[in-house]
């Protein structure tokens, strides 16, 4: 197979133009090409307003020598590739007495269960929340002013926290084994659009992702797996540093010598139980900040030099800065045409996240602008406690303040007020009457006391740096809302090279355990854990 890199075509090109351009690069006629498969499609807007689609394509020939064609075209963008499809390992030799238990049905737990079920291990999946359809109803009721249910919310339930997000699927993981491609293929097989297989920044959207999650669950059941909802794990059963099972709400007991901990980054009660069980873990660095909203038209213009060419998706951005005190500030979970959502999961505490539907057709763009924090920062809210859950204490302190500032509603403030800027200090690109797009109740409030001063100053310094990259980013009328505190897990549960904890049979997995960040990387980690279990046990 011949691969062509950086093959550029104008947006809106005809379907046959791709094969014609490939034939031209290879000095062939289109009739000599058997297939032309898009591996990657990205947008090149570096010389805007001139915009291109840039492709990576794989070409197969009807006949003739690929090596001869490659030599003849003398183009460094052309090479030969041999695709290496993903392969699940052969079963190991150890005999398991019980079926594997998987705690949590976010991307890590879902993909771990899917791979094990497909291989014949008939796993049992335990989810503290509800099925995705029932969960959506609870979340929408909460956003309309109803109660926050502790086990059925934006954080907990089938699909995990990623279900109520933009559904972004890009990852920075180097993927020589092909797991990332397999994740995308499985998602498409269960209802995701096929374009995610080649888009440079693929996303699904919360509306489609919900259906994909349900379809994957039904396939697990068809392969002989079990799924139990409303099954919050209350105790891990351990005997002589070997796991023997778990007990769930209602006293239900599940026995197994194989337990996967894919609990997500917000399972604070589970982390507390693990600390009591002396499971080795540590506090880790993460980041906190605020959701920042702009008119989507402003972001489109900055990236495309046009408000929104109809042949292009709503524009996104990725921004990073380093403050004078050497703190990292960066954008996170950017949602073009999206919504800020109330992502709370505990009474009296408030957290926000970002979400988009598949069409990304909301009037605002939002992202979290977050500041890196380390265990040295945690003492603000954790007092003398220096244990593995100090980051959770820090998160809770921020969320309690945010809840108080908004009196239970999402607190919102304009950036000019937050930064203490004099009015009319520069040209304004965001209108003074600009309003947020929020799922959940909100109110304007004073966010200046939310963070320790070092973090507030770093946030402002980052915003001003980003304004030099995207003019208007730090305009006075830009809307801030908070608190964005669940960017990643504040805990890392130790595991060894075989993916087990120092407690034999316990497999920390995914974002909650500190080994992933986002839907795709969590799914990949779930696959790795499934592979480790398969290499150990017979079917």
């Amino acid at each position: 197979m011949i691969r062509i890199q950086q093959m550029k075509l104008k947006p809106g090109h005809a379907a046959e133009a791709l094969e014609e351009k490939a034939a031209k690069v290879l000095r062939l006629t289109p009739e000599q090409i058997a297939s032309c498969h898009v591996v990657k499609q990205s947008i090149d807007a570096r010389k805007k307003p001139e915009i291109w689609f840039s492709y990576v394509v794989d070409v197969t020939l009807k006949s003739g020598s690929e090596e001869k064609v490659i030599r003849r075209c003398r183009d460094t963008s052309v090479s030969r590739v041999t695709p290496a499809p993903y392969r699940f390992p052969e079963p190991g030799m150890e005999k398991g007495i019980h079926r594997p238990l998987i705690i949590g049905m976010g991307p890590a737990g879902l993909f771990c269960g899917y791979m094990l079920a497909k291989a014949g291990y008939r796993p049992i999946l335990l989810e503290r929340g509800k099925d995705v359809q029932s969960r959506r109803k609870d979340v929408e009721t909460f956003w309309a002013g109803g109660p926050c249910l502790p086990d059925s919310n934006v954080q907990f339930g089938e699909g995990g926290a990623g279900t109520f997000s933009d559904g972004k699927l890009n990852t920075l993981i180097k993927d020589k084994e092909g797991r990332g491609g397999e994740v995308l293929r499985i998602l498409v097989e269960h209802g995701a659009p096929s374009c995610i297989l080649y888009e440079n920044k693929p996303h699904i959207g919360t509306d489609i992702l919900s259906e994909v999650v349900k379809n994957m669950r039904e396939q697990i059941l068809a392969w002989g797996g079990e799924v139990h909802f409303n099954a919050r794990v209350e105790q891990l059963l351990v005997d002589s540093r070997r796991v023997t099972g778990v007990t769930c709400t209602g006293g239900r007991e599940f026995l197994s010598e194989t337990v996967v901990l894919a609990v997500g980054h917000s399972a604070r009660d589970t982390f507390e139980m693990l600390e009591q069980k002396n499971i080795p873990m540590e506090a880790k660095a993460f980041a906190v900040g605020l959701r920042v909203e702009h008119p989507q038209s402003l972001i489109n213009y900055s990236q495309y030099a046009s408000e929104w060419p109809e042949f292009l998706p709503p524009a996104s951005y990725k921004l990073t800065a380093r403050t004078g005190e050497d703190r990292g500030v960066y954008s996170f979970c950017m949602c073009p045409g999206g919504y800020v959502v109330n992502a709370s999961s505990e009474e009296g505490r408030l957290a926000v996240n970002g979400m988009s539907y598949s069409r990304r057709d909301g009037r605002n763009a939002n992202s979290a602008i977050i500041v890196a924090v380390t265990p040295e920062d945690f003492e603000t809210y954790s007092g003398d406690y220096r244990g593995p859950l100090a980051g959770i204490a820090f998160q809770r302190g921020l969320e309690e303040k945010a809840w108080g500032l908004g009196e239970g509603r999402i607190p919102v403030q304009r950036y000019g007020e937050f930064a203490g800027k004099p009015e009319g200090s520069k040209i304004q690109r965001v209108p003074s009457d600009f309003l947020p797009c929020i799922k959940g109740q909100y109110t304007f409030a004073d966010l200046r006391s939310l963070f320790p001063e070092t973090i507030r100053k770093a946030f402002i310094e980052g915003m001003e740096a980003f304004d030099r990259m995207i003019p208007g980013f730090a305009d006075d009328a830009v809307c801030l809302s908070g608190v964005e505190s669940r960017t990643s897990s504040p805990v890392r549960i130790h595991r060894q090279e075989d993916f087990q904890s120092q407690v034999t049979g316990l497999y920390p997995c995914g974002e909650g355990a500190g080994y992933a960040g986002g839907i795709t990387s969590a799914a990949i980690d779930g696959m790795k854990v499934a592979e480790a279990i398969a290499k150990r046990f017979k079917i």
Side-chain angles (χ1 to χ4, degrees):
M1 188 176 291
I2 301 173
R3 175 160 293 177
I4 306 174
Q5 307 271 359
Q6 296 181 349
M7 198 172 77
K8 294 184 179 181
L9 290 168
K10 278 290 185 183
H13 64 78
E16 59 270 19
L18 200 65
E19 191 169 297
E20 291 170 358
K21 182 66 178 288
K24 185 176 180 180
V25 171
L26 298 176
R27 301 185 182 183
L28 301 171
T29 64
E31 292 72 26
Q32 291 175 279
I33 292 177
S35 67
C36 184
H37 169 69
V38 177
V39 179
K40 189 74 69 179
Q41 179 200 65
S42 57
I43 297 170
D44 185 351
R46 289 174 295 178
K47 296 181 180 179
K48 50 184 174 285
E50 188 174 25
I51 296 173
W52 299 85
F53 280 153
S54 181
Y55 291 95
V56 178
V57 298
D58 284 348
V59 175
T60 57
L61 308 180
K62 291 181 178 177
S63 62
S65 167
E66 291 180 351
E67 291 293 348
K68 186 176 180 180
V69 170
I70 292 169
R71 285 197 305 270
R72 186 177 65 219
C73 67
R74 296 178 182 177
D75 191 328
T76 56
S77 68
V78 177
S79 61
R80 191 173 186 182
V81 294
T82 303
Y86 170 78
R87 296 189 185 281
F88 195 72
E90 294 295 320
M93 300 303 294
E94 189 175 337
K95 182 173 175 56
I97 302 171
H98 303 91
R99 297 156 69 181
L101 297 178
I102 299 171
I103 305 173
M105 284 186 68
L110 187 63
F111 271 83
C112 184
Y114 184 93
M115 302 308 294
L116 288 174
K118 184 177 183 180
Y121 287 89
R122 300 171 58 244
I124 299 173
L125 283 73
L126 306 176
E127 169 54 53
R128 70 189 293 162
K130 298 180 182 179
D131 66 272
V132 70
Q133 293 95 333
S134 301
R135 178 191 181 197
R136 287 192 71 87
K137 293 177 183 177
D138 290 340
V139 168
E140 287 166 3
T141 298
F142 169 57
W143 286 342
C148 178
L149 303 181
D151 288 329
S152 185
N153 48 58
V154 170
Q155 306 298 339
F156 299 131
E158 185 179 23
T163 302
F164 294 94
S165 71
D166 183 64
K168 282 178 285 296
L169 301 172
N170 48 305
T171 176
L172 299 178
I173 291 177
K174 293 182 179 178
D175 185 33
K176 295 180 181 178
E177 294 81 8
R179 295 188 187 95
E182 184 70 2
V183 167
L184 298 179
R185 189 196 65 76
I186 290 169
L187 292 173
V188 169
E189 195 173 279
H190 292 85
S194 59
C195 59
I196 68 171
L197 297 172
Y198 57 81
E199 288 180 337
N200 186 47
K201 295 180 179 179
H203 89 106
I204 296 181
T206 186
D207 45 341
I208 295 177
L209 190 55
S210 297
E211 287 301 308
V212 172
V213 165
K214 176 179 72 71
N215 293 339
M216 288 184 66
R217 177 235 302 166
E218 291 176 349
Q219 183 61 74
I220 290 171
L221 294 173
W223 282 329
E226 281 183 29
V227 174
H228 296 265
F229 295 113
N230 299 303
R232 175 165 39 87
V233 170
E234 295 185 333
Q235 284 297 325
L236 184 69
L237 305 178
V238 179
D239 183 19
S240 301
R241 302 301 287 173
R242 300 181 72 90
V243 71
T244 60
V246 302
T247 58
C248 295
T249 45
R252 289 174 290 175
E253 187 175 84
F254 294 87
L255 299 180
S256 181
E257 59 286 324
T258 308
V259 175
V260 178
L261 276 175
V263 297
H265 59 38
S266 295
R268 294 164 173 173
D269 49 2
T270 304
F271 293 136
E272 289 167 350
M273 179 268 290
L274 295 174
E275 185 185 30
Q276 292 168 6
K277 289 285 184 180
N278 296 315
I279 303 301
M281 54 186 180
E282 63 183 339
K284 77 175 210 16
F286 58 106
V288 297
L290 299 168
R291 278 277 150 183
V292 179
E293 291 187 74
H294 301 88
Q296 181 63 50
S297 57
L298 183 146
I299 305 303
N300 291 338
Y301 191 84
S302 74
Q303 304 298 68
Y304 298 147
S306 174
E307 183 172 330
W308 190 355
E310 62 181 16
F311 49 78
L312 294 174
S316 63
Y317 57 79
K318 184 177 181 180
L319 303 170
T320 62
R322 206 81 197 169
T323 71
E325 296 182 354
D326 203 31
R327 274 191 191 265
V329 184
Y330 51 99
S331 61
F332 172 79
C333 186
M334 195 270 154
C335 299
Y339 299 83
V340 174
V341 303
N342 191 329
S344 305
S345 60
E346 295 179 332
E347 190 65 37
R349 300 185 177 109
L350 191 145
V352 297
N353 194 11
M355 183 187 85
S356 295
Y357 296 107
S358 56
R359 290 176 58 86
R360 286 179 164 174
D361 55 0
R363 59 181 169 81
N364 288 358
N366 77 75
S367 73
I369 299 301
I370 51 178
V371 179
V373 292
T374 66
E376 287 71 36
D377 296 302
F378 298 164
E379 63 185 36
T380 307
Y381 293 115
S382 61
D384 294 331
Y385 176 75
R386 297 291 186 275
L389 307 187
I392 292 176
F394 182 74
Q395 288 177 322
R396 280 175 162 164
L398 290 173
E399 292 171 15
E400 287 166 10
K401 270 205 163 188
W403 194 92
L405 290 171
E407 297 180 339
R409 294 169 290 178
I410 295 174
V412 177
Q413 186 173 28
R414 298 196 185 278
Y415 175 69
E417 297 168 355
F418 181 84
K421 294 162 59 177
E423 290 187 19
S425 56
K426 66 181 181 67
I427 297 172
Q428 299 296 307
R429 293 173 172 83
V430 178
S432 60
D433 59 352
F434 174 66
L435 290 174
C437 287
I438 290 179
K439 295 288 186 179
Q441 298 183 317
Y442 73 91
T443 183
F444 281 90
D446 189 349
L447 292 169
R448 286 176 291 185
S449 64
L450 178 59
F451 297 110
E453 186 60 17
T454 54
I455 295 175
R456 190 182 81 90
K457 286 175 60 179
F459 178 91
I460 293 170
E461 192 173 339
M463 286 288 292
E464 296 300 320
F466 300 153
D467 191 73
R468 294 189 287 273
M469 303 173 194
I470 299 178
F473 200 89
D475 272 9
D476 291 354
V478 166
C479 288
L480 312 179
S481 55
V483 59
E484 179 87 23
S485 52
R486 314 281 183 96
T487 56
S488 64
S489 181
V491 174
R492 177 170 287 113
I493 305 172
H494 296 174
R495 72 184 186 190
Q496 303 169 102
E497 288 187 7
D498 62 359
F499 293 89
Q500 294 183 75
S501 164
Q502 290 169 323
V503 174
T504 302
L506 184 64
Y507 290 83
C509 179
E511 188 164 349
Y515 297 98
I519 293 172
T520 302
S521 63
I524 288 172
D525 201 61
M527 293 173 70
K528 289 178 180 179
V529 170
E531 292 164 13
I533 292 169
K535 289 175 184 177
R536 179 181 168 195
F537 290 109
K538 296 179 182 179
I539 296 175

